[in-house]
Amino acid sequence: MNVLKFGGTSVGSAENIERVISILEKSAINSKVIGVVSAIGGITDLLLSAGELAQTKDKGYLECFDTIRNIHLEMLSSLLGSKNTALLCNLEAELQSLKDFLDGIYLINELSAKTSDKLVSFGELLSSYIIAETMKSRGINAERKNSQDLIVTNSVFSKAEVKYAKTNENVTNYFKHAEEAITILPGFISKSENGEITTLGRGGSDFTAAIVAAALNVEKLEIWTDVSGMFTTNPKAVKHAFPIENLSYQEAMELSHFGAKVIYPPTVQPVLDKNIPIFIKNTMAPEDIGTKISSSSAMASGKNINPVKGISNVNNINLLTLQGNGMVGIPGFSKRLFETLAQNKINVIFITQASSEHSICFGVEAGDSNLAKESIDETFENEISLRKIDPLIVEKELSIIALVGDKMKSHQGISGKMFSTLGKNNINIRAIAQGASEKNISAVIAEKDVKKALNTLHERFFETPTKQLNVYITGVGNVGERLVEQIKQQKGYLKEQLKLNLKVVGLSNSRTMVLDASGINLTNWKDKLKNGQKASSKGFLESARSYNLRNSIFVDVTANAEIAASYPEYLKESIAVVACNKIACSSNFDTYNQLKSLSRKYNAPFLFETNVGAGLPVIDTLNNLVASGDKITSIQAVLSGSLNYIFNNFNDKTRFHDIVKKAQIEGYTEPDPRIDLSGVDVARKILILARESGIEMNLEDIDNQSFLTPENEQANTVEAFYDSLIEHEDHFQSLYNSAKNNNAQLKYVADFNGIKAQVGLQEIPEGHPFYNLEGKDNIVMYYTKRYPEQPMIIKGAGAGAEVTASGLFADIIRTLNK
Ligand code: ADP
Ligand code: ASP
Ligand code: MG
């Protein structure tokens, strides 16, 4: 005898019922078969909604009923054609009695648990009727048997307990004499000893199948559903989840208790007692291996050395805490607490107690929380009034996530890995429990963090080594565009070679923005951005916050002060910040310091390599020197690509004004060239290097020896500034001539002597490393304790969109190693 159970989706359409029939027929070739079926997918919920509406005198129940009626009639007609009038009539009659029943609820305004059980029983009765009749009319040797005649329970409606002795007797007696090759049984429904209709709890069709399989002591139980087995975690929440080939009964029970809905938890017990293996199979893909649940799974899975078998979650949890100084050392508090809960039939899902005994913390379903609070506060009324105990504390909108595996107990460090992975992703853990058997490590977290937690934990325990990076780029102008193009081009390489899955999830310029938590397809990103929603830095931040994705990075490619001011908000969400915007790091020291400490506190890297020398590894090198114990004694540098370009091209045959204009047109200067020519840009850069060397310094502390005339400096528009350059051409020519006469080159140099910094134009003599600096190159010389005479030199293009973008890209990748 084979027992196969088919769930709601498996019988949810005519097409799927055809699959079910063919699976049953195949199974019946060598042995008799029992097919246990659920209600058509969604019908149990619809019946319950109709009942609720009718009870509250809402005529909407009639609409609900019509939906239920149409689904069943259409199902039968698509399976058998509308000509089969006798069956259609029978089905109509059965639907009419459902309608009468709902009318009754509407009239009396009442829906007791008992009535509700009778109401939902229609679901399985209707589905089993349709399936059995379809088979019969096709000449298949099949019959339906109403399982209410077989499965006997107590009278706890909606989740009745099985009376095994009577049930087993009924089942064995019936099947001893059953002649048909295939018997269809409605799942989920049963009858009490007094003859009342009962049900076995939501998802209970699995249980029906297990009860029958155990009573008949069959070789195996097959649960046919809409996924190819029990997955490492809920496949609807984690794309990379995969089916587990073998599980022990205990592992399956733990996983299902903690939310792996694929089997109803009580299902395991009856078959475990008889050592009957369960196979989870996919009706939509019968050839897939699926999952085998048995006692010997630990051995069979020997090749799989991962001690963690699966991760599951239960949502809708409230955490209740009973605490107070009066509890310490006094026996009996827990007894009274749990007795109160038991008397009120409140199921406790999770318990922890600190060894100080100062508090007991436990989790219940959200629906039970009010009753728990009322009854416990009442039980401890006296102690509360004496202030020995505080009123029960209730925390809402929580979930439990659990790692499950029989072999976790023999491996060290699993909980450490679990909690550090969650911590790194800013997922706050509210409570922890680990059974002494160590088959399960559970943590309570905010419900909003569940998806992120499942994904990070799955990545950590099952997906080594691919990592996902989620990038939000704001300021898609010249440099930003190059960055997006570089990412687009490198995506494949990163995935293949570095096992990095880099997704751009947000793009914004000053006009529009696009956001997509699953990643923006970069093929035509410019159009998407153009047609995106109106840009808003607040909206951008809000989306990043609500997506709550792991390994997120906010990339600032603007020069905007408002955006720089938003970094703390990102860091507080554990979102890394990568910036080429210099404002944050060069504004007052407190801001810089606050960002550094937020970055440490929230484990979110804050990187700004491109603030100095574009793509050159200037800051990273400095950080490495300092981290390895070296000390910076001085820094000399040419840090302005624009000024270098200008002084390399300016001579006695050109006009200073024209060269500056050209530099601006070529994009080598800031849009406002005064920022470069006044030395402010270079001062900011040396300030950042001094700060990264460990010195507390502000922009005002830097000695800025301007080479401009006072009139140049006083020009208050760009236009006026250009005019003043023409007027003062003589001044610039004299700077040039003096250098030429001294056989020197004009370079704009930044200098930090370990305490103070200055910037200014210098005449660089022949032979000096700066003398031959070409084009828009930058050069930085670090003198340190380890490099006292021959400095460490970094040199190369220090401006330009392509190199700046690649510097940002390097920082994005670097966030992973910080
Ligand atoms: P059926 O109607 O066949 O009884 P269920 O909806 O009760 O099916 O259970 C199957 C569903 O369980 C899957 O579609 C999936 O969304 C969910 N699920 C949750 N956790 C897991 C898991 N770890 N493995 C497989 N499925 C899971
Ligand atoms: N139809 C019932 C439910 O939806 C039982 C089941 O499908 O297992 O809960
Ligand atoms: Mg189910």
Side-chain angles (χ1 to χ4, degrees):
M1 190 76 94
N2 297 333
V3 179
L4 290 76
K5 177 262 169 175
F6 296 90
T9 318
S10 302
V11 300
S13 65
E15 195 187 344
N16 286 352
I17 290 183
E18 296 292 0
R19 297 180 206 268
V20 169
I21 294 175
S22 101
I23 293 166
L24 284 169
E25 277 191 290
K26 231 182 239 163
S27 185
I29 293 173
N30 300 320
S31 151
K32 283 192 178 164
V33 167
I34 299 169
V36 178
V37 297
S38 285
I40 294 173
I43 291 295
T44 311
D45 288 334
L46 276 170
L47 286 165
L48 287 169
S49 313
E52 291 285 325
L53 291 168
Q55 181 206 17
T56 51
K57 281 276 174 210
D58 184 334
K59 285 247 175 197
Y61 80 93
L62 290 170
E63 216 173 284
C64 251
F65 168 75
D66 278 343
T67 312
I68 296 171
R69 177 174 176 272
N70 291 339
I71 290 174
H72 287 93
L73 290 176
E74 275 166 27
M75 182 77 84
L76 192 69
S77 344
S78 23
L79 285 165
L80 292 176
S82 42
K83 280 183 244 102
N84 207 324
T85 42
L87 289 179
L88 274 175
C89 273
N90 288 347
L91 187 62
E92 281 280 21
E94 190 62 14
L95 287 163
Q96 186 56 45
S97 49
L98 167 61
K99 163 97 179 8
D100 295 343
F101 194 72
L102 285 167
D103 290 342
I105 298 171
Y106 179 80
L107 281 177
I108 60 169
N109 232 331
E110 202 180 279
L111 180 62
S112 65
K114 181 171 162 178
T115 313
S116 177
D117 269 7
K118 169 134 170 94
L119 176 62
V120 287
S121 74
F122 277 92
E124 266 70 8
L125 287 172
L126 288 164
S127 67
S128 58
Y129 176 76
I130 292 175
I131 294 165
E133 290 305 322
T134 303
M135 293 174 92
K136 278 159 74 178
S137 72
R138 291 182 186 175
I140 300 167
N141 181 10
E143 192 57 75
R144 175 179 78 158
K145 171 69 185 165
N146 188 342
S147 30
Q148 287 166 324
D149 301 337
L150 304 176
I151 300 195
V152 182
T153 66
N154 66 7
S155 298
V156 176
F157 297 101
S158 87
K159 203 171 183 180
E161 281 166 31
V162 178
K163 300 282 173 193
Y164 279 101
K166 190 75 194 114
T167 301
N168 290 347
E169 189 188 323
N170 289 347
V171 172
T172 41
N173 281 344
Y174 178 78
F175 285 102
K176 217 182 277 164
H177 302 112
E179 302 271 293
E180 296 75 22
I182 300 173
T183 304
I184 300 294
L185 292 181
F188 177 53
I189 58 176
S190 43
K191 243 185 221 164
S192 76
E193 290 158 308
N194 310 327
E196 303 140 323
I197 290 176
T198 54
T199 60
L200 301 174
R202 291 304 307 267
S205 296
D206 300 339
F207 194 21
T208 308
I211 295 163
V212 172
L216 298 172
N217 206 2
V218 297
E219 247 171 61
K220 59 179 182 183
L221 165 63
E222 296 178 19
I223 305 280
W224 289 79
T225 181
D226 60 351
V227 282
S228 296
M230 193 174 260
F231 278 55
T232 44
T233 188
N234 187 348
K236 295 214 171 99
V238 179
K239 229 172 85 197
H240 299 293
F242 53 86
I244 310 164
E245 247 180 74
N246 286 285
L247 279 172
S248 74
Y249 290 119
Q250 278 73 21
E251 288 169 333
M253 237 180 315
E254 291 282 349
L255 281 170
S256 60
H257 262 298
F258 278 89
K261 191 184 161 204
V262 69
I263 53 168
Y264 180 50
T267 306
V268 178
Q269 198 59 48
V271 287
L272 180 155
D273 292 340
K274 295 275 173 75
N275 213 355
I276 300 168
I278 308 174
F279 289 85
I280 315 262
K281 299 280 288 178
N282 189 347
T283 307
M284 274 45 83
E287 57 297 334
D288 285 359
I289 297 175
T291 298
K292 179 181 180 188
I293 302 168
S294 65
S295 54
S296 58
S297 93
M299 296 312 295
S301 63
K303 63 177 187 276
N304 176 6
I305 47 162
N306 192 347
V308 182
K309 279 301 192 66
I311 310 165
S312 50
N313 69 291
V314 196
N315 292 348
N316 255 326
I317 296 292
N318 282 6
L319 199 61
L320 312 182
T321 307
L322 187 67
Q323 64 180 31
N325 295 329
M327 281 170 62
V328 182
I330 302 176
F333 272 99
S334 321
K335 179 166 173 279
R336 286 165 65 199
L337 170 66
F338 291 109
E339 257 170 18
T340 308
L341 292 168
Q343 275 157 11
N344 287 283
K345 298 207 161 47
I346 294 167
N347 188 22
V348 177
I349 303 172
F350 179 102
I351 307 173
T352 57
Q353 177 173 27
S355 60
S356 73
E357 292 181 36
H358 181 73
S359 69
I360 299 179
C361 174
F362 57 100
V364 300
E365 267 181 32
D368 287 337
S369 164
N370 283 345
L371 179 60
K373 162 103 179 126
E374 276 166 28
S375 53
I376 290 168
D377 282 351
E378 198 181 305
T379 300
F380 294 101
E381 200 177 2
N382 190 28
E383 286 85 350
I384 291 172
S385 72
L386 295 172
R387 298 182 181 241
K388 282 187 174 173
I389 293 188
D390 305 334
L392 191 75
I393 301 166
V394 179
E395 292 173 86
K396 298 186 173 166
E397 289 172 17
L398 301 173
S399 294
I400 299 176
I401 42 166
L403 294 191
V404 169
D406 283 345
K407 292 190 180 165
M408 294 197 313
K409 60 176 173 294
S410 47
H411 281 74
Q412 283 166 344
I414 293 178
S415 41
K417 267 189 215 162
M418 176 180 181
F419 301 136
S420 67
T421 307
L422 294 174
K424 265 191 202 145
N425 280 280
N426 199 25
I427 297 164
N428 194 13
I429 300 168
R430 313 287 280 275
I432 296 169
Q434 177 173 15
S437 66
E438 284 188 49
K439 288 182 197 314
N440 174 322
I441 307 172
S442 324
V444 178
I445 61 171
E447 195 160 320
K448 70 171 176 49
D449 287 331
V450 165
K451 196 165 177 202
K452 178 155 92 167
L454 290 177
N455 276 281
T456 29
L457 290 174
H458 197 267
E459 195 169 87
R460 182 72 183 81
F461 288 101
F462 293 103
E463 287 171 44
T464 43
T466 302
K467 280 211 165 140
Q468 199 182 104
L469 281 179
N470 297 295
V471 181
Y472 298 86
I473 303 173
T474 191
V476 190
N478 200 8
V479 176
E481 179 180 333
R482 297 316 313 147
L483 175 61
V484 179
E485 288 299 330
Q486 288 180 12
I487 291 175
K488 187 166 130 192
Q489 190 205 320
Q490 280 303 96
K491 243 174 117 53
Y493 174 86
L494 291 178
K495 211 172 201 167
E496 293 275 302
Q497 303 295 322
L498 301 184
K499 302 280 177 238
L500 272 186
N501 184 9
L502 199 158
K503 284 187 187 172
V504 176
V505 282
L507 281 175
S508 177
N509 55 28
S510 53
R511 295 170 300 281
T512 51
M513 63 184 189
V514 270
L515 289 139
D516 182 347
S518 57
I520 299 163
N521 181 343
L522 296 180
T523 322
N524 49 356
W525 65 271
K526 279 191 191 163
D527 289 340
K528 284 185 189 136
L529 180 57
K530 209 155 106 201
N531 302 321
Q533 48 181 312
K534 192 169 176 299
S536 133
S537 54
K538 251 207 178 114
F540 206 66
L541 168 66
E542 269 320 309
S543 298
R545 206 176 254 154
S546 71
Y547 290 169
N548 203 4
L549 299 169
R550 65 201 186 285
N551 303 334
S552 291
I553 304 156
F554 173 69
V555 186
D556 178 8
V557 203
T558 71
N560 185 306
E562 190 202 337
I563 305 256
S566 72
Y567 299 168
E569 302 310 315
Y570 284 97
L571 294 172
K572 281 179 196 164
E573 299 295 324
S574 285
I575 297 174
V577 174
V578 164
C580 70
N581 182 348
K582 281 190 268 299
I583 294 176
C585 284
S586 58
S587 60
N588 65 60
F589 188 77
D590 289 344
T591 305
Y592 164 85
N593 217 15
Q594 183 211 12
L595 290 170
K596 288 259 160 178
S597 68
L598 285 175
S599 158
R600 276 191 297 273
K601 178 168 175 196
Y602 292 95
N603 238 319
F606 170 43
L607 300 175
F608 39 87
E609 179 63 88
T610 47
N611 279 194
V612 184
L616 297 177
V618 177
I619 295 177
D620 194 48
T621 307
L622 172 56
N623 291 157
N624 290 339
L625 288 171
V626 173
S628 65
D630 203 353
K631 184 158 172 32
I632 308 293
T633 45
S634 74
I635 302 171
Q636 284 167 28
V638 175
L639 293 172
S640 170
S642 9
L643 288 174
N644 206 36
Y645 173 90
I646 289 167
F647 286 108
N648 276 343
N649 287 283
F650 175 57
N651 55 42
D652 48 6
K653 298 185 184 60
T654 60
R655 259 196 332 174
F656 193 68
H657 163 277
D658 299 344
I659 301 294
V660 175
K661 195 96 210 179
K662 194 166 166 219
Q664 189 192 10
I665 291 166
E666 304 264 330
Y668 297 148
T669 67
E670 300 280 328
D672 180 348
R674 288 174 297 176
I675 296 179
D676 294 298
L677 274 79
S678 66
V680 168
D681 191 56
V682 175
R684 284 178 178 165
K685 290 175 180 171
I686 194 72
L687 173 68
I688 294 169
L689 294 184
R691 285 176 172 177
E692 290 292 294
S693 313
I695 303 296
E696 185 175 334
M697 191 184 277
N698 277 308
L699 201 57
E700 311 80 75
D701 304 331
I702 293 174
D703 180 10
N704 184 345
Q705 298 156 348
S706 177
F707 66 86
L708 298 173
T709 65
E711 288 77 4
N712 295 150
E713 278 172 3
Q714 278 148 22
N716 41 21
T717 63
V718 174
E719 200 70 355
F721 177 68
Y722 272 118
D723 288 347
S724 80
L725 291 185
I726 298 178
E727 274 172 40
H728 291 250
E729 178 65 20
D730 286 354
H731 165 69
F732 299 108
Q733 285 298 335
S734 73
L735 291 175
Y736 173 78
N737 284 326
S738 156
K740 194 176 171 196
N741 294 338
N742 293 328
N743 204 15
Q745 290 277 0
L746 284 175
K747 299 285 169 200
Y748 198 86
V749 177
D751 215 319
F752 168 61
N753 66 7
I755 302 164
K756 286 191 158 176
Q758 63 172 43
V759 295
L761 198 64
Q762 290 183 16
E763 291 183 2
I764 303 293
E766 209 175 345
H768 189 282
F770 293 175
Y771 185 84
N772 285 322
L773 200 64
E774 286 172 10
K776 51 193 188 316
D777 281 3
N778 280 7
I779 184 166
V780 180
M781 303 200 296
Y782 289 126
Y783 289 90
T784 75
K785 250 176 25 199
R786 292 183 196 144
Y787 294 87
E789 272 126 34
Q790 287 301 322
M792 178 184 276
I793 299 181
I794 298 158
K795 180 179 162 192
E802 201 72 46
V803 289
T804 308
S806 71
L808 286 166
F809 201 167
D811 266 354
I812 292 173
I813 308 282
R814 225 173 257 146
T815 58
L816 277 179
N817 306 325
K818 293 282 170 181

